[in-house]
Amino acid sequence: LYNRWFAETRKNSFVRAGERIGAAVSGGPDSVLMLEFLARMSGDVGFQLAVVHFNHHLRAAESDEDESFVRNLAERYGVPFFRGEGRVAEESRKRRRNLEATARDLRYRFFLGLIRQGKVDKVATAHTLDDQAETVLLRLLRGSGTRGLGGIYPALGGGKILRPFLSLTRNDIERELEERKLAFRTDSTNRELRFQRNRIRHELLPLLKKNFNPEIARLLAELSDRARDDEETLEQLAHARALPWRVREGKEEKIPVRALVELPAAIQRRVLRQ
């Protein structure tokens, strides 16, 4: 599995020799295997590896045990360890946002902070093909358009946040962990069906796989690839078609209604969003 993954990852040139890459490790199976692969890859490519971990303080002692586990992993691999923390439940109540969205915001603020401080150049997260499929279904159920169906992007922030595991399934990872005898932590909240993503993971996707198409996860991931390609082209086209008509006045930008309504509806929407 490593050789296949290495060939795919090198083809995309997501890391270069001399860069400092932070592996975002929660302690779960996906991130543990990503750390193992990146540690091996660092020797082949010549980049510097670090482990980054964000403690969400959502599971009392379990969260602290996860942090200790990840810290020990960093020591075992002989790489720097950077940790951050946030009281996600309290922050969620203050913002009146759900736990998942708040946790993501705080976690990525920590990652980008490490990059701004010069401690790492990029951060890699261990999102998988199954995570991609779940995200596409979640967005579809919320009524997203092409942009939302693009799901989890392989890179964010100008290539500063990387997702090198998007081509691997959860089954791939579980088999590889068993073969390599790698220990990992299990997040008890991943089974709680009060979270919509967990209901999609444990109820909806298995139902679709069993009763409609056993390859549903891969098909949804391929849909996200096409949606991202389409969205990139349409965004560029919208910018080019509207450019002659766009007028900047102070902090505002305007376009004549007559020019706008002559554009196709798909282009109109993107011009207004831009």
Side-chain angles (χ1 to χ4, degrees):
L1 183 66
Y2 172 79
N3 290 335
R4 171 166 68 86
W5 173 82
F6 179 81
E8 291 173 355
T9 307
R10 285 296 283 159
K11 183 174 64 178
N12 296 328
S13 301
F14 87 109
V15 290
R16 298 179 179 84
E19 288 185 325
R20 295 162 299 172
I21 306 299
V25 182
S26 65
D30 306 338
S31 63
V32 165
L33 187 63
M34 184 184 72
L35 175 59
E36 170 79 6
F37 278 15
L38 287 176
R40 182 171 170 184
M41 188 184 193
S42 66
D44 295 332
V45 176
F47 60 82
Q48 300 172 51
L49 186 62
V51 169
V52 303
H53 176 81
F54 188 81
N55 189 333
H56 299 87
H57 292 292
L58 283 172
R59 293 178 291 119
E62 278 187 47
S63 293
D64 294 332
E65 289 165 7
D66 287 348
E67 182 178 329
S68 296
F69 175 82
V70 175
R71 186 188 298 273
N72 290 335
L73 273 180
E75 290 176 2
R76 197 180 88 207
Y77 283 98
V79 299
F81 175 74
F82 301 114
R83 54 93 63 189
E85 63 179 336
R87 300 288 172 179
V88 173
E90 295 173 20
E91 192 66 25
S92 174
R93 286 191 293 270
K94 287 179 187 175
R95 298 186 183 190
R96 296 184 179 179
R97 296 190 70 194
N98 67 49
L99 279 174
E100 291 172 292
T102 304
R104 184 186 186 281
D105 287 349
L106 295 180
R107 188 166 62 247
Y108 278 81
R109 185 188 300 173
F110 166 60
F111 296 159
L112 293 171
L114 290 175
I115 294 170
R116 281 194 301 271
Q117 294 162 29
K119 293 181 178 178
V120 295
D121 297 311
K122 298 173 180 177
V123 172
T125 68
H127 292 92
T128 66
L129 184 144
D130 295 87
D131 293 319
Q132 183 71 285
E134 293 160 12
T135 300
V136 172
L137 269 181
L138 193 61
R139 302 271 178 85
L140 187 64
L141 293 171
R142 290 174 178 171
S144 293
T146 313
R147 191 179 190 180
L149 294 181
I152 302 169
Y153 279 61
L156 281 181
K160 297 296 185 183
I161 304 293
L162 311 170
R163 277 72 180 262
F165 260 26
L166 281 177
S167 65
L168 302 185
T169 67
R170 213 163 274 137
N171 285 338
D172 289 334
I173 290 165
E174 288 171 359
R175 283 196 300 269
E176 191 73 10
L177 286 167
E178 188 173 346
E179 286 181 17
R180 292 172 180 261
K181 303 292 189 291
L182 294 175
F184 56 86
R185 298 278 298 170
T186 300
D187 185 342
S188 58
T189 62
N190 285 340
R191 304 295 305 182
E192 293 183 14
L193 298 182
R194 63 193 174 100
F195 297 117
Q196 191 175 33
R197 180 177 287 274
N198 287 347
R199 293 198 299 275
I200 287 173
R201 176 176 299 176
H202 299 299
E203 295 180 344
L204 182 55
L205 264 175
L207 177 70
L208 293 173
K209 184 176 181 178
K210 179 181 178 182
N211 295 334
F212 294 92
N213 191 325
E215 293 297 317
I216 185 65
R218 195 169 298 280
L219 292 175
L220 287 167
E222 290 172 358
L223 171 63
S224 72
D225 291 340
R226 293 195 298 273
R228 288 195 303 276
D229 289 343
D230 289 351
E231 188 62 22
E232 182 181 359
T233 299
L234 287 167
E235 283 287 328
Q236 292 171 355
L237 183 59
H239 184 269
R241 290 284 297 273
L243 190 59
W245 299 100
R246 289 160 75 156
V247 178
R248 172 75 60 182
E249 293 183 3
K251 294 183 179 180
E252 295 183 336
E253 191 173 16
K254 299 181 179 181
I255 185 170
V257 172
R258 185 180 63 182
L260 181 67
V261 297
E262 289 176 357
L263 298 172
I267 301 300
Q268 288 180 27
R269 287 194 293 270
R270 286 166 176 81
V271 168
L272 291 173
R273 192 166 65 207
Q274 290 171 5

